[in-house]
Structures are given as structure tokens and as C-alpha cells.
Amino acid sequence: MTSPISRRNLARGMVWSAPVVIASVRVPAFAASVNPEYLWYDSQSHEFVRKGGSIADLYVYTTDPVDENPAGFSISYKPGMGEDTTATLQRLDYYVMVPTRFSSDGTPATYGSTSTYWTPLTKVTAATLAVDNGAGGTTSISTTGYNVYKTSFKGVMTNPVVGIDGRTTWPGTTVDLGFFGFTKATTGSYYAGYVTSFTTANGFTMTDSNGIEKYTF
């Protein structure tokens, strides 16, 4: 479902953990000597909200800048490794895998502009999920005890790319999601992140780069 109500207003008056924010850069799986070389960046945040008793919410979002990374998804290059150009997305998906207890109270919510630029969040049936292994590849993990959701970007697929100091959010690529359920647990983990393929006008290609990572709350 979609809602114009912000998750912070929704949770006002409740007890919640301080937002957790994580900034990442995605490195190609081939040698860094490749020139030009373009990297992609993302920002990941979450809030775990206990609403009393066994009712709890988990909010997962990329709407806030983290450290030097702009909100959402962005593509850039480091000094000496590229030049200003344009990039075209062949794929930009966002996956989130949350404990099943956060799917027991109805359909996940989307907030803000998420439903404008992203397809409806759909549940994915899979025994495993590929996640970033931190070395330019992926590791498959079991989805047992979790539900996996996916949404695909449907906004503008071509955008200017500039150097790292001037990078900005690719328009429309932030996501803002809420999951609701019943749990007595005070901690846990979820997995989330972008998966992308893109090319640049000057000949660089990034294929199925996986930024799904594990986060704890």
C-alpha cells in the first residue's frame, strides 16, 4: 500500500531505536587499473520501532544522505579514473529480506515518492538470496525465516555522471519502506540493497553488481 504519511510521524510517541545509517561504495569485480572506471554508491538506513507489547515495526529506507554519499543511488568516478559523461541503467532493483515476523500484519508500506518511481513491492519466492561478499562477488544465503521483497526502478534511465565531489542522487532512486508485525525480540537482522547493471556513453559497463548487505537492529 502507499501512504503520504511519513514513517516518523507514524511512529511519533512510540519507543524506537536511533536510526542506523550505512554508506557504501560498490567496486567492479575486475582490476582497478581499468580506465575509465565508474563506481556506484548507496546509503542505507533503518529504524526499529516497538509500539508496545509484542507489536513492532521495521522501517528500511535510503532517503537520507550518509557520510559523503547522497541519498539513494548514485554513479560517479574518482579523480583520474574517468570523465564527465552519461550513464544508462539496464537494471536497477532494490531487494529487502526481512524476518517473517515483520510480514505478519498486512502488506508492507511504501512512503513518499517510492510508488512513483518504483514498481509495486512484490514477494519473491527463492530458497537463497545472493548478497555482496565484500570482494566484488556474491555469497548465497538461505532465506529460511525471512521474506524476500523486490521492487524495480521505473524512472529516468539515463542521467549525467560527474566526479565524486559533485555526485548527487540519481533522480527517483530513493526507497522508503515499512514492515509491520509481532515480535518480542529486541534485536535482529535484515538484508537490503540495490542490484544494478549500467553502461556509460564512453564505454564502461557494470553488469549485475550486487549491493545487498546484512544489517542488524
Side-chain angles (χ1 to χ4, degrees):
M1 66 180 179
T2 60
S3 171
I5 303 172
S6 76
R7 61 180 178 278
R8 293 178 178 83
N9 287 338
L10 191 68
R12 186 171 293 161
M14 308 302 177
V15 178
W16 66 91
S17 62
V20 177
V21 294
I22 303 96
S24 300
V25 55
R26 309 301 171 185
V27 181
F30 43 80
S33 60
V34 173
N35 196 3
E37 179 183 80
Y38 293 84
L39 308 176
W40 66 273
Y41 302 80
D42 64 344
S43 60
Q44 182 72 42
S45 305
H46 66 260
E47 296 175 35
F48 175 57
V49 182
R50 293 198 64 84
K51 302 175 71 174
S54 60
I55 301 174
D57 300 342
L58 177 63
Y59 299 96
V60 177
Y61 52 97
T62 66
T63 54
D64 296 342
V66 179
D67 297 331
E68 297 180 354
N69 286 1
F73 172 90
S74 60
I75 299 174
S76 190
Y77 62 91
K78 294 182 178 180
M81 296 304 295
E83 60 187 4
D84 290 1
T85 184
T86 59
T88 299
L89 298 173
Q90 278 73 51
R91 171 189 184 185
L92 183 62
D93 299 325
Y94 187 82
Y95 287 83
V96 57
M97 186 168 84
V98 298
T100 54
R101 61 182 180 269
F102 288 111
S103 305
S104 58
D105 189 25
T107 305
T110 58
Y111 300 102
S113 62
T114 306
S115 60
T116 300
Y117 295 104
W118 293 84
T119 60
L121 199 64
T122 57
K123 190 174 179 180
V124 177
T125 301
T128 61
L129 179 70
V131 301
D132 182 13
N133 64 10
T138 61
T139 299
S140 292
I141 61 168
S142 172
T143 61
T144 301
Y146 289 85
N147 283 331
V148 182
Y149 297 90
K150 173 188 175 183
T151 180
S152 298
F153 184 62
K154 61 179 183 178
V156 175
M157 301 300 281
T158 300
N159 197 57
V161 173
V162 300
I164 190 170
D165 292 335
R167 71 188 189 276
T168 59
T169 302
W170 190 294
T173 59
T174 60
V175 295
D176 195 352
L177 309 172
F179 303 88
F180 318 105
F182 304 92
T183 178
K184 294 183 179 179
T186 57
T187 60
S189 61
Y190 72 97
Y191 296 79
Y194 296 95
V195 178
T196 188
S197 295
F198 65 86
T199 60
T200 64
N202 58 353
F204 179 85
T205 297
M206 176 80 80
T207 303
D208 293 335
S209 180
N210 188 315
I212 303 171
E213 292 189 20
K214 180 180 180 178
Y215 303 98
T216 58
F217 55 86

